[in-house]
Amino acid sequence: MARLSWALALLYALLLADTASAQQRLNVRFGVLTTASQAAFYVGVKQGIFAKYGFDIDVKTLATGVQANQALAAGQVDWAGGGVESTVVGWATGLPFKAYSMYAKGGDSYGILVRKDAAINSPKDLKDKRIAVPQGTAPAQGLNQVLQEAGLAPDSVKRVNANYGNMGPMLTSGAVEAMAGLEPFLTLTEEKMEGKAQLLMRLGKYVQGGGLFLINDKWAAANPTRIADVVTALWESQQWVRQHPKEAAAIEAEFLKVEPRIVELSFKTLTYDPLIDDFTAASLQKTADYLADEKFIPKKIKPADYLQDLERVSQEVQAKHPDLLK
């Protein structure tokens, strides 16, 4: 009996040790951009979802996808989210990270806003107009496709390089007749112009919005058995945003330091879906071709070649947690 009790005690101790090992907590530096499309990252941290899966998160605030690329490459963060364009640039230039999930989708978060006094009522009317647009971005790529579909040459408009924050004032002041931009700046600019601007079109037909969740290669190599846990935590965070949009908007607004109403505007054009669908795959290839043609990347690439880890981990997580896609 004594021997049996001792054996049971030893077995119990081993089970506890295995459980503790499985639940070993990891400190992670998470680079999060100040954009509503990455709401699942910050919401997941604040709601304790990443902690639930054994990750203690230190959020590092980043401004752009380019900065996320740089931070991952320099080892300043372990995880980050990159927009479609910046991720393709990272792949083409051999930066040391891989994509493991999408964090959001939503090409309709991009659009073309025009001044009413410019008499732009169709894409054909963009000819010879000054258009504020950030170079090498989804709106720039979408604008190219809009012009092509309208039978206009790429140089038939006067592109004015801008960023998402300053193009609204450019349109308001009359420095440009149109802006190819991003929510919530589109809606906020339209509101500020009080009836003097109108949305010509959204760009979801042409480009994919949102972006990809990225992990630094060094972190992935050091923690290969935890990657599925990371992705599971992200999927659960995305599900929480989908199921609690108002509460999620309030949490994200705290991070962005804006009114919740502004985040809610962005949520209307975004979906927090982690999977690569056919449209996304095609959009990634179009983006890669566009960036190569415009000399933003040194060579043409096939994004599908860079998504093998994402597909493998997605299949693993979906098999274990199909409910997280509901």
Side-chain angles (χ1 to χ4, degrees), residues 91 149 184 221 291:
W91 288 336
E149 191 173 77
L291 292 173

PDB file of all heavy atoms in Angstrom, residues 91 149 184 221 291:
ATOM      1  N   TRP A  91       8.754  40.076 -47.945  1.00  0.00           N
ATOM      2  CA  TRP A  91       9.044  38.798 -48.613  1.00  0.00           C
ATOM      3  C   TRP A  91      10.062  38.987 -49.744  1.00  0.00           C
ATOM      4  O   TRP A  91      11.023  38.239 -49.851  1.00  0.00           O
ATOM      5  CB  TRP A  91       7.760  38.205 -49.188  1.00  0.00           C
ATOM      6  CG  TRP A  91       6.814  37.670 -48.175  1.00  0.00           C
ATOM      7  CD1 TRP A  91       7.101  37.239 -46.906  1.00  0.00           C
ATOM      8  CD2 TRP A  91       5.396  37.500 -48.341  1.00  0.00           C
ATOM      9  NE1 TRP A  91       5.953  36.815 -46.277  1.00  0.00           N
ATOM     10  CE2 TRP A  91       4.898  36.954 -47.127  1.00  0.00           C
ATOM     11  CE3 TRP A  91       4.505  37.748 -49.372  1.00  0.00           C
ATOM     12  CZ2 TRP A  91       3.550  36.664 -46.947  1.00  0.00           C
ATOM     13  CZ3 TRP A  91       3.161  37.452 -49.194  1.00  0.00           C
ATOM     14  CH2 TRP A  91       2.683  36.915 -47.993  1.00  0.00           C
ATOM     15  N   GLU A 149      -9.676  50.245 -65.880  1.00  0.00           N
ATOM     16  CA  GLU A 149     -11.038  49.817 -66.194  1.00  0.00           C
ATOM     17  C   GLU A 149     -11.821  50.920 -66.895  1.00  0.00           C
ATOM     18  O   GLU A 149     -12.706  50.647 -67.719  1.00  0.00           O
ATOM     19  CB  GLU A 149     -11.750  49.389 -64.909  1.00  0.00           C
ATOM     20  CG  GLU A 149     -13.072  48.685 -65.119  1.00  0.00           C
ATOM     21  CD  GLU A 149     -13.621  48.137 -63.814  1.00  0.00           C
ATOM     22  OE1 GLU A 149     -14.156  48.931 -63.018  1.00  0.00           O
ATOM     23  OE2 GLU A 149     -13.516  46.923 -63.582  1.00  0.00           O
ATOM     24  N   PRO A 184     -10.700  55.561 -40.985  1.00  0.00           N
ATOM     25  CA  PRO A 184     -11.876  56.432 -40.936  1.00  0.00           C
ATOM     26  C   PRO A 184     -11.660  57.806 -41.576  1.00  0.00           C
ATOM     27  O   PRO A 184     -12.527  58.648 -41.524  1.00  0.00           O
ATOM     28  CB  PRO A 184     -12.104  56.591 -39.430  1.00  0.00           C
ATOM     29  CG  PRO A 184     -10.714  56.589 -38.868  1.00  0.00           C
ATOM     30  CD  PRO A 184      -9.944  55.586 -39.704  1.00  0.00           C
ATOM     31  N   ALA A 221      11.760  29.857 -34.374  1.00  0.00           N
ATOM     32  CA  ALA A 221      12.707  28.747 -34.241  1.00  0.00           C
ATOM     33  C   ALA A 221      12.909  28.354 -32.780  1.00  0.00           C
ATOM     34  O   ALA A 221      13.108  27.174 -32.464  1.00  0.00           O
ATOM     35  CB  ALA A 221      14.045  29.137 -34.873  1.00  0.00           C
ATOM     36  N   LEU A 291       3.801  46.082 -57.263  1.00  0.00           N
ATOM     37  CA  LEU A 291       4.993  46.604 -56.590  1.00  0.00           C
ATOM     38  C   LEU A 291       6.254  46.358 -57.420  1.00  0.00           C
ATOM     39  O   LEU A 291       7.169  47.192 -57.434  1.00  0.00           O
ATOM     40  CB  LEU A 291       5.128  45.967 -55.208  1.00  0.00           C
ATOM     41  CG  LEU A 291       4.058  46.364 -54.185  1.00  0.00           C
ATOM     42  CD1 LEU A 291       4.193  45.528 -52.911  1.00  0.00           C
ATOM     43  CD2 LEU A 291       4.139  47.846 -53.842  1.00  0.00           C
TER      44      LEU A 291
END
